[in-house]
Amino acid sequence: MCVSQAMILLDITIVNVALPSIQRELGVSPSNLLWVVGAYTLVLAALILVGGSLGDRIGRKRVFMTGLVIFTLASAACALAPDDPQLIASRAVQGVGGAAMAALTLSILVDAFPPERRTAAIGTWAAVGGLGFGLGPVLGGVLIRLFSWSAIFWVNVPIGVACLVLTLFGVRESRDPDARPLDIPGAVLAGAGLFVLTFGLIESNRRPWTSTTVVGSLVAAVVLLTLFVVREQRAATPMVPLGLLRERRFASANVVFALLYVSLAGMFFFVTLYYQNVRGWSALKTGASWILLNVLFLGASMRVGRLAPRFGGRRLIGCGCLFAAAGMFVLTPLARDTPFWVAAIGYTVLGLGYGLAVPLVSSEAMGDVPPALAGTGSGILNTSRQIGASVGLAVLGSIGVGLAGHAWSNRVPNLPHPVQAEARTLRQSVGGAQANVVAKRIGPEATRPAVDSFLIGYHAAMLAGGVALVIAGGFAFVGLRPAPARAPTVAVEAQPG
């Protein structure tokens, strides 16, 4: 379970550092680059509750191993993808396997260890997962430098095979004899609604907001998600018991978790493009620069459990969100020649903030959840995190790429007249910080306006991410006030992926 969790979290950060290499070698537009990240997290969000339900009903080991095989084969398919549509499709299949794995690692651990050893086992699982998350950028940078972007997917294959052998011989089968029937219509409605919502937001990068595609997608999302709510109200065994969402602390914790990952996903995406495409850093140097963020996160997350009894989980989560917001605001105004020590301050404060907030959200969320629904509540919380990462990336990507393209359109009239017509077709390249592509197409005099246009979008997206964290802090301080009649359940999660 530790190996699988480390691989899942490794795959999140290792892909981020490879985005500019994938962009250059496959000629990927900013919209499709968002899908390279979003396809995985979106499918993960849509299916993680389904994976948990299937494991409880037909066997956790069986479903986990099936997910592991799917994830490993899809990783190989990603590495062999000749173009971005096949890469995106393979990433979506990776999400199917990841959902089965992520939904069941804790369930398998709880079954494998007696209560007196369970806390230590879960702590080890969380620490190894956090290590995978932290090593991802550095390992990705090394692999890209030595080989190519495909190596970041090939690395999952030997890890997956080793994990499969360990699971085959080291994990016993378990299931829940009282597991509820799977709510298939609810799962379909939720997955379809999230997909068309994300699709509409990402398509707004290259189409007008008033276009049939964008408007139709957003309207379809509203209809499908409304039908999902209606279905869950009437279903005998709903996938998401709506009564849980009426619990103030549980609902607020889900909002906080989603907003935390809205910002984190956007930060990784745009900061990677900034340092590799604008500043010309290598993938290895970019990945190594994130060590500071990860060290602060791991250091704070390992100690926050001791601080919670003294200061209160709600206050630590709220302060953590505000620290993280401050870090985002420091990273927001980066320009073409800003020294790295400015970003280092932002990374430090951001890592500290996430280290304070993330590990305690689970315990605060589960405080009002009945014991019989603890597994469902944990699954909903994990789903909120993945929804925040996928939909949030689409939102911030729409803001950043859209404003960069608008700024570029305003600069086109200042370019030499013979190149203006072709310059108007390069909005997507500008939004993806590909000033080198723009310069090759229409001349080196376009480099500076292309970079300046990207930075306008970058600043807006990062600012939006910081605002999201301020809102998360408000929800934490107000919405996570303890319920007077119930004692909180301790269940600390210690990794950000």
Side-chain angles (χ1 to χ4, degrees), residues 351-428:
L352 175 62
Y354 273 87
L356 290 175
V358 168
L360 293 173
V361 173
S362 294
S363 60
E364 294 296 313
M366 302 304 287
D368 292 342
V369 176
L373 294 176
T376 301
S378 178
I380 293 172
L381 193 65
N382 285 327
T383 300
S384 295
R385 171 173 56 188
Q386 300 301 336
I387 290 174
S390 57
V391 177
L393 181 59
V395 171
L396 297 188
S398 178
I399 292 171
V401 176
L403 286 179
H406 180 71
W408 173 249
S409 296
N410 291 336
R411 286 168 167 76
V412 167
N414 299 325
L415 298 173
H417 185 73
V419 302
Q420 289 183 11
E422 187 173 6
R424 292 188 180 92
T425 68
L426 297 174
R427 286 172 57 105
Q428 286 283 297

Side-chain angles (χ1 to χ4, degrees), residues 11-19 22 28 30-44 87-88 91-92 94-95 153 198 202 264-266 268-270 272 386 389-391 393-394:
D11 198 64
I12 294 173
T13 52
I14 202 172
V15 170
N16 275 288
V17 79
L19 290 176
I22 294 172
V28 184
S31 297
N32 283 356
L33 200 64
L34 289 168
W35 277 116
V36 170
V37 180
Y40 175 78
T41 55
L42 182 61
V43 173
L44 198 66
L87 176 59
I88 292 167
R91 286 284 285 162
Q94 258 193 322
F153 295 110
T198 306
I202 290 179
L264 190 66
F268 276 129
F269 183 84
F270 280 101
T272 300
Q386 300 301 336
S390 57
V391 177
L393 181 59

Side-chain angles (χ1 to χ4, degrees), residues 85-465:
Q86 292 191 41
L87 176 59
I88 292 167
S90 299
R91 286 284 285 162
V93 177
Q94 258 193 322
V96 175
M101 295 162 60
L104 296 172
T105 52
L106 273 179
S107 299
I108 290 173
L109 281 183
V110 169
D111 174 75
F113 287 88
E116 65 271 15
R117 296 181 58 198
R118 195 171 294 157
T119 301
I122 293 175
T124 303
W125 167 85
V128 173
L131 184 63
F133 182 88
L135 288 177
V138 179
L139 179 60
V142 171
L143 290 173
I144 292 167
R145 182 160 187 169
L146 294 178
F147 305 104
S148 70
W149 64 265
S150 62
I152 68 164
F153 295 110
W154 282 123
V155 74
N156 288 333
V157 175
I159 298 175
V161 171
C163 187
L164 190 66
V165 173
L166 288 171
T167 305
L168 184 64
F169 294 104
V171 176
R172 68 188 181 196
E173 185 60 278
S174 64
R175 56 177 54 86
D176 181 2
D178 300 319
R180 299 182 303 160
L182 179 62
D183 178 21
I184 295 178
V188 171
L189 288 170
L194 290 172
F195 173 78
V196 293
L197 173 62
T198 306
F199 178 81
L201 291 169
I202 290 179
E203 283 298 300
S204 69
N205 294 329
R206 53 187 172 190
R207 303 176 191 266
W209 278 93
T210 55
S211 69
T212 303
T213 300
V214 174
V215 172
S217 298
L218 297 181
V219 170
V222 171
V223 171
L224 288 168
L225 294 176
T226 300
L227 290 174
F228 169 72
V229 173
V230 172
R231 162 70 191 180
E232 298 304 280
Q233 289 175 331
R234 298 179 179 178
T237 55
M239 186 174 72
V240 179
L242 298 182
L244 275 181
L245 299 181
R246 298 188 187 101
E247 297 287 353
R248 172 176 48 80
R249 281 205 298 166
F250 183 76
S252 298
N254 276 274
V255 173
V256 171
F257 227 11
L259 291 174
L260 281 167
Y261 285 87
V262 164
S263 181
L264 190 66
M267 186 279 295
F268 276 129
F269 183 84
F270 280 101
V271 168
T272 300
L273 293 183
Y274 166 77
Y275 272 114
Q276 292 192 45
N277 286 356
V278 174
R279 301 297 296 271
W281 285 20
S282 66
L284 178 58
K285 187 175 180 180
T286 303
S289 72
W290 291 347
I291 292 177
L292 186 61
L293 185 156
N294 289 321
V295 166
L296 265 294
F297 170 82
L298 290 173
S301 63
M302 290 174 64
R303 291 168 175 78
V304 72
R306 301 174 185 175
L307 298 175
R310 179 178 179 183
F311 297 102
R314 172 177 67 94
R315 294 187 182 90
L316 288 174
I317 293 170
C319 290
C321 291
L322 296 183
F323 277 132
M328 284 291 288
F329 292 143
V330 171
L331 292 170
T332 295
L334 297 183
R336 63 175 64 243
D337 54 357
T338 303
F340 176 69
W341 65 262
V342 176
I345 294 173
Y347 287 159
T348 300
V349 181
L350 194 72
L352 175 62
Y354 273 87
L356 290 175
V358 168
L360 293 173
V361 173
S362 294
S363 60
E364 294 296 313
M366 302 304 287
D368 292 342
V369 176
L373 294 176
T376 301
S378 178
I380 293 172
L381 193 65
N382 285 327
T383 300
S384 295
R385 171 173 56 188
Q386 300 301 336
I387 290 174
S390 57
V391 177
L393 181 59
V395 171
L396 297 188
S398 178
I399 292 171
V401 176
L403 286 179
H406 180 71
W408 173 249
S409 296
N410 291 336
R411 286 168 167 76
V412 167
N414 299 325
L415 298 173
H417 185 73
V419 302
Q420 289 183 11
E422 187 173 6
R424 292 188 180 92
T425 68
L426 297 174
R427 286 172 57 105
Q428 286 283 297
S429 296
V430 171
Q434 292 180 293
N436 58 333
V437 173
V438 175
K440 288 179 182 178
R441 292 277 296 276
I442 61 176
E445 66 274 6
T447 300
R448 187 176 186 88
V451 170
D452 291 341
S453 298
F454 166 77
L455 288 174
I456 288 175
Y458 166 88
H459 295 155
M462 296 291 286
L463 180 63

